[in-house]
Amino acid sequence: MFSSYCLQQNLPKMLSLWEKVINELNLYNIDRFSTLVKIIAAEESNSVVQKGHGFAMQSAAASTSMYGAIREQWSGLSFVTRMKDLADTDNLKPTLLKLSELAFILLGKKNLRVAMNVSPQHTDASIKELEVFLNSLEGTPTPYETHPTIDSSQFTPHTQRTHHVFPFPVNYTGQALAGVPYRHADAGPLRVMGRLMVPYLHREIREKGGAYGGGISVSPGGPIAFYSYRDPNSRQTFDAFRRALDWVLNGEFTERNVEEAKLGVFQSVDAPVGPGSRGMRYFLSRVTDSIFEHHRQNILDTDSQDIIRVARTHVADSLIEGACLIGPPNEEIVNDPLWTTVQH
C-alpha cells in the first residue's frame, strides 16, 4: 500500500513522483541494497526488546489461523530471523533479481486499486490528473473480485507453545486464540469482554506480578491475545490469564464494570476520522457504513450474559490456542514436552 498527500496545487507533481517510483524503479545497486538489508536487519533485531509483547502475541497467534500465520511470517520473529539470515548472506544478487521480478509483477495496473480524498470543488480536476497518472502505468486493470486471494485450505489450526530464548533479563508473554470476523454477531461482545478484563489483568500482572504491564487485545478479524511485557515471571503470568477468564465466567463483575468497558471500546470505535482517512474503512477492509453500524449496535447491546457466553464459547471452550514466551532460558519450560524451545 502506497500513500501520500499534498496541497491541491501540487497534485500533478506528486503523481509525477509516483510515476517515477513505479516506472523507473532502479533495483541494480547491489552495494546500496546490501546496506539497506543490514540496516533493516539491525532495526528489526533491536525492536524485539522494545516491542517484545507484540512479537509474543504474533508468535502465539501464528498457529490459530491462516491470518495469524501469515502476519507472523511477514512481521513477526520469523521475519526478524529471515532478515538476519539475509544480512549474513555473502551474495545478495539472487535476492535483488527476485525483487526485480516482483516489481515487474506488482507495480502496474493489473491488481491496482486507488482511493483519493479531495475537496468537492476540485473533484473533476483531480480525477483528470489521476487518469493521466494511471495511463502512464503498465498493464490492464482487472476487476477487484478477480484479484489474487490467499488460499487457506493448506493451513490447519493447531495448538503450539513456543519459548524463544533471547539474552534478556525479563520475559514477554503472549497467549492467543482465534477470533471472529468483523460481521460475526459475537465480534462486539468479545471486544467488550476484552476491555472488561483489562483492569483485572493490570492488577494481577503489573501490581501483583511486578511486570511493566499486561493486558488483552481483541480486534474483529484478528486473534484474541493476552500479553505481558518486561515481566519478571513466566508461567505464573499464564496462570493470571486463566484467572482473568475465570473471573469473567463466574460473573464476578458489576454492571458498572460492563458500562465502563463499553465506553472504553467506543473510545476507539467512535474515534474522530480525519478528512484524509474518510472512506478508508471500506476501501481497505470492505466494511460498509451499514456493517459498521451493525457492529456498533452489537457493542451497545452487549450485556453481562453475552460477555459470559462469548468468553465460554470462544475462549474457555476453544480446543486450539497458541502460547509464546520470549526471554531468558527457563529450566521449567525446557523440561515440559508441551513446549518447544527456539534459541536466538
Side-chain angles (χ1 to χ4, degrees):
M1 182 172 72
F2 302 95
S3 65
S4 61
Y5 56 92
C6 68
L7 297 173
Q8 180 64 32
Q9 67 212 43
N10 294 329
L11 179 60
K13 295 178 180 179
M14 184 179 76
L15 293 177
S16 176
L17 288 173
W18 278 122
E19 180 186 347
K20 289 183 179 180
V21 168
I22 294 173
N23 289 340
E24 302 176 20
L25 184 63
N26 184 340
L27 292 174
Y28 302 104
N29 190 331
I30 188 67
D31 293 333
R32 174 62 176 158
F33 180 61
S34 177
T35 300
L36 286 174
V37 167
K38 287 179 169 58
I39 290 173
I40 294 172
E43 289 176 346
E44 290 295 328
S45 295
N46 293 335
S47 70
V48 177
V49 72
Q50 302 295 331
K51 302 181 292 185
H53 61 297
F55 285 106
M57 286 191 286
Q58 283 185 297
S59 178
S63 68
T64 64
S65 69
M66 186 69 176
Y67 167 82
I70 291 177
R71 190 162 177 258
E72 204 283 326
Q73 290 174 17
W74 288 351
S75 58
L77 288 175
S78 295
F79 177 71
V80 175
T81 300
R82 192 158 59 249
M83 286 304 305
K84 183 176 182 295
D85 292 341
L86 197 60
D88 294 336
T89 302
D90 293 331
N91 184 11
L92 287 173
K93 288 184 178 179
T95 304
L96 197 55
L97 179 61
K98 290 179 181 178
L99 288 183
S100 298
E101 294 172 353
L102 279 172
F104 180 77
I105 295 170
L106 296 176
L107 300 182
K109 282 186 291 197
K110 184 177 180 181
N111 298 317
L112 180 68
R113 291 194 299 125
V114 179
M116 182 169 64
N117 285 15
V118 61
S119 300
Q121 65 268 30
H122 299 300
T123 300
D124 292 341
S126 297
I127 289 177
K128 287 181 181 178
E129 292 291 345
L130 182 62
E131 287 175 344
V132 171
F133 163 69
L134 293 174
N135 288 333
S136 72
L137 304 184
E138 297 291 331
T140 302
T142 57
Y144 172 70
E145 293 74 17
T146 66
H147 286 195
T149 57
I150 296 171
D151 180 14
S152 60
S153 63
Q154 303 300 315
F155 179 83
T156 302
H158 56 283
T159 292
Q160 181 173 301
R161 301 178 179 90
T162 308
H163 179 206
H164 294 276
V165 179
F166 281 85
F168 300 155
V170 291
N171 295 291
Y172 302 87
T173 66
Q175 183 172 354
L177 306 102
V180 297
Y182 192 95
R183 300 184 69 169
H184 195 287
D186 289 344
L190 277 171
R191 293 183 77 169
V192 179
M193 177 209 73
R195 185 66 187 185
L196 181 69
M197 286 185 178
V198 169
Y200 183 94
L201 289 166
H202 178 85
R203 182 172 66 251
E204 293 295 311
I205 296 172
R206 179 180 171 87
E207 296 178 6
K208 294 183 180 180
Y212 271 40
I216 179 173
S217 171
V218 182
S219 57
I224 302 165
F226 297 88
Y227 66 90
S228 72
Y229 58 93
R230 299 197 176 184
D231 192 343
N233 303 304
S234 54
R235 302 192 75 163
Q236 299 92 321
T237 300
F238 290 100
D239 293 336
F241 297 156
R242 180 66 210 191
R243 289 197 301 273
L245 175 61
D246 291 339
W247 177 75
V248 171
L249 293 174
N250 294 332
E252 297 177 32
F253 51 87
T254 65
E255 288 302 318
R256 180 176 179 178
N257 294 147
V258 175
E259 293 305 313
E260 290 175 348
K262 287 184 184 180
L263 289 173
V265 173
F266 278 121
Q267 279 186 330
S268 58
V269 172
D270 290 343
V273 179
S277 299
R278 291 174 188 167
M280 296 306 291
R281 183 172 57 229
Y282 176 73
F283 179 73
L284 296 176
S285 305
R286 283 301 189 256
V287 174
T288 63
D289 289 343
S290 61
I291 293 173
F292 172 74
E293 286 301 326
H294 183 69
H295 176 74
R296 190 180 184 282
Q297 192 62 45
N298 277 349
I299 297 171
L300 195 61
D301 293 342
T302 298
D303 60 23
S304 299
Q305 291 307 309
D306 290 327
I307 293 171
I308 294 172
R309 176 182 57 79
V310 298
R312 187 173 303 281
T313 302
H314 299 286
V315 185
D317 293 345
S318 177
L319 299 177
I320 295 170
E321 68 172 33
C324 173
L325 178 68
I326 297 174
N330 188 306
E331 292 184 7
E332 188 178 355
I333 285 180
V334 167
N335 298 320
D336 190 333
L338 298 178
W339 283 79
T340 301
T341 299
V342 178
Q343 300 287 340
H344 289 268

